[in-house]
Amino acid sequence: MPPAAAASRRLPSALGLLLLLAAAPACSGAPAPAPGPPAAPSPGAPAAESPYWVDPGSKAARQVAAWEATGRNSDAQVLRRIADRPLTLWAPGGDPGPEIRRAAAGARATGRTLLLAAHNIPYRDCGQHPAGGAANARAYRNWIGAFADGIGKTGALVVLEPGALAHTLDGCTPADHHAERYRLLSEAVERLKRNPNTKVYLDAGDPASVKNPTDLVAPLTKAGLEHADGFAVNVSGFQPDAAARAYGARISERTGNRHFVIDTGRNGAGPLPGDGDRARCNPPGRALGTPPTDRTGDPLVDAYLWIKRPGDSDGTCHGGPPPGTWWPDHALGLARRATE
C-alpha cells in the first residue's frame, strides 16, 4: 500500500482515539465538579441582566439626560450606575393606581418584574414628616385595594410597609394601635396575594433599629407572614450584606426558615460610626451596594434589591432636601464611591 494511502487509513483511527480521550473524563465515573454560587456583581460594574424592570423615566434617568444635555457627560456616566438599574417604586399616598399602572405597563412590555413598596399605613413614621399615612383603617383598605388593582396580573414584588413592625417595638407606635396595625398588614398580604403573580415581603427592620431580631417574630406572625413570600431587611439602612444576612437568618430560623430580601441600595461602605441622625439620615461618605439581582447564591436570600432609592433624601439633615426628594449631588456621591 502506498504511504499516502496508509496515512489516510490511519487518520480516522487517530481521530477516533482523540475523541475517546476527550470524552474519557465524563465517562470515568468521577462526578463533574458542581458549579459554585454566582458571584454578586460589584456596584460599579456594568448593569447585568436582571429579572427586574428598569424605569426609563426615573428621577435618576432624567438627571442623566439633563446632565448630558448640558455637557456634564462624565457625571452623567457615573450616575448611570443608578439610572440603569432597577429601583423600587414607592407608591404615592393619594391614588396609587395611575403610577402603578404606568410602571406595570412598562414591566410587562419588557417581560420584567415590577418592584414596589407600599408605605401608607395609618400613624406611619411616628408622626414625623412625611407622617400619617392613610387617615384611618378604612382609607388604608381602599388604598391597598387600589394598589393591588394597579398591579393586576403583572409580575411584581412588593415590600410591605417599611418600618411598620419595627415601630411597634420601639414605642414609636402607641400600643393601642398595634392590634389594628397587625390586622391591616395581614389583610394587605391577603389582598396582594390574590393577584396571581405578586410576591409580598413584610418589612422586618434592620440591625441598627432592632437590637434583638427575634423580638419581631410575634409581630411578623400577627401581620400575616405565613401567607406572605417572606420578609425584607435593611430597608433604607446601611448595614453591610453580611450583617443584614445574619440578622435575617435569626428571624428565619424562628419562622420556619422563611426567605427574605435585603436592601443593598446604600450599604456599600457600611454604616457611618455613631448613633442618631448623623448615622441614619443622609450619612456622608456612603456608597451603592450590591446591585439588584435574584442570583444571590444563598438559599435564604431571595434577592438583593435597591428598595430605598439611592439619591432620594432621608430628610433635612446634612444639608438634604425634604424626605423623598431627589438629591442629585448625593446620588452622584453614592455612585462615585461605589468603585473607590
Side-chain angles (χ1 to χ4, degrees):
M1 183 181 296
S8 66
R9 292 285 302 272
R10 289 195 298 269
L11 183 58
S13 298
L15 180 58
L17 179 60
L18 288 172
L19 291 172
L20 286 172
L21 289 172
C27 303
S28 64
S42 64
E49 190 72 11
S50 165
Y52 306 117
W53 180 60
V54 176
D55 186 354
S58 70
K59 290 176 281 189
R62 295 198 299 269
Q63 190 68 64
V64 166
W67 280 350
E68 287 178 339
T70 57
R72 288 183 63 176
N73 295 316
S74 177
D75 288 343
Q77 189 64 26
V78 172
L79 195 63
R80 284 189 179 279
R81 295 170 188 166
I82 297 175
D84 291 349
R85 290 192 167 119
L87 309 174
T88 300
L89 172 65
W90 292 58
D95 179 3
E99 182 64 1
I100 292 179
R101 286 193 293 271
R102 175 197 71 83
R108 288 194 303 273
T110 58
R112 296 289 186 262
T113 297
L114 179 61
L115 298 175
L116 294 166
H119 185 54
N120 199 39
I121 199 84
Y123 313 107
R124 180 188 69 189
D125 295 328
C126 314
Q128 301 172 19
H129 183 75
N136 51 47
R138 180 178 179 181
Y140 184 72
R141 291 184 180 104
N142 290 337
W143 184 85
I144 205 71
F147 185 110
D149 288 344
I151 298 170
K153 296 181 180 180
T154 303
L157 187 158
V158 178
V159 176
L160 186 58
E161 296 300 338
L165 291 177
H167 286 325
T168 65
L169 300 178
D170 61 12
C172 175
T173 303
D176 57 349
H177 295 311
H178 289 188
E180 178 187 79
R181 176 159 294 188
Y182 299 143
R183 184 169 59 253
L184 289 176
L185 288 170
S186 181
E187 291 173 2
V189 171
E190 187 276 331
R191 175 62 190 89
L192 289 163
K193 290 302 295 178
R194 287 187 217 161
N195 290 351
N197 302 309
T198 297
K199 293 185 175 181
V200 182
Y201 292 81
L202 281 157
D203 183 65
D206 68 81
S209 62
V210 181
K211 300 306 180 185
N212 183 1
T214 59
D215 288 345
L216 274 168
V217 171
L220 282 165
T221 302
K222 294 175 184 176
L225 180 61
E226 178 184 0
H227 303 291
D229 294 273
F231 56 93
V233 302
N234 205 42
V235 175
S236 300
F238 302 90
Q239 300 297 312
D241 292 358
R245 197 273 178 194
Y247 171 91
R250 289 189 62 192
I251 298 174
S252 177
E253 68 185 5
R254 295 283 298 275
T255 56
N257 297 318
R258 300 310 299 267
H259 291 196
F260 54 97
V261 298
I262 300 175
D263 187 351
T264 57
R266 305 182 297 173
N267 74 346
L272 186 72
D275 297 318
D277 283 347
R278 178 168 173 77
R280 292 192 296 265
C281 185
N282 298 327
R286 303 309 92 199
L288 301 175
T290 303
T293 179
D294 64 346
R295 300 185 64 194
T296 69
D298 189 314
L300 286 180
V301 181
D302 286 347
Y304 298 121
L305 303 174
W306 288 1
I307 300 171
K308 169 71 176 185
R309 299 162 72 94
D312 282 2
S313 175
D314 293 320
T316 55
C317 45
H318 293 106
T325 303
W326 171 247
W327 188 5
D329 290 340
H330 189 63
L332 183 62
L334 290 168
R336 181 169 286 132
R337 285 186 292 271
T339 57
E340 291 179 353

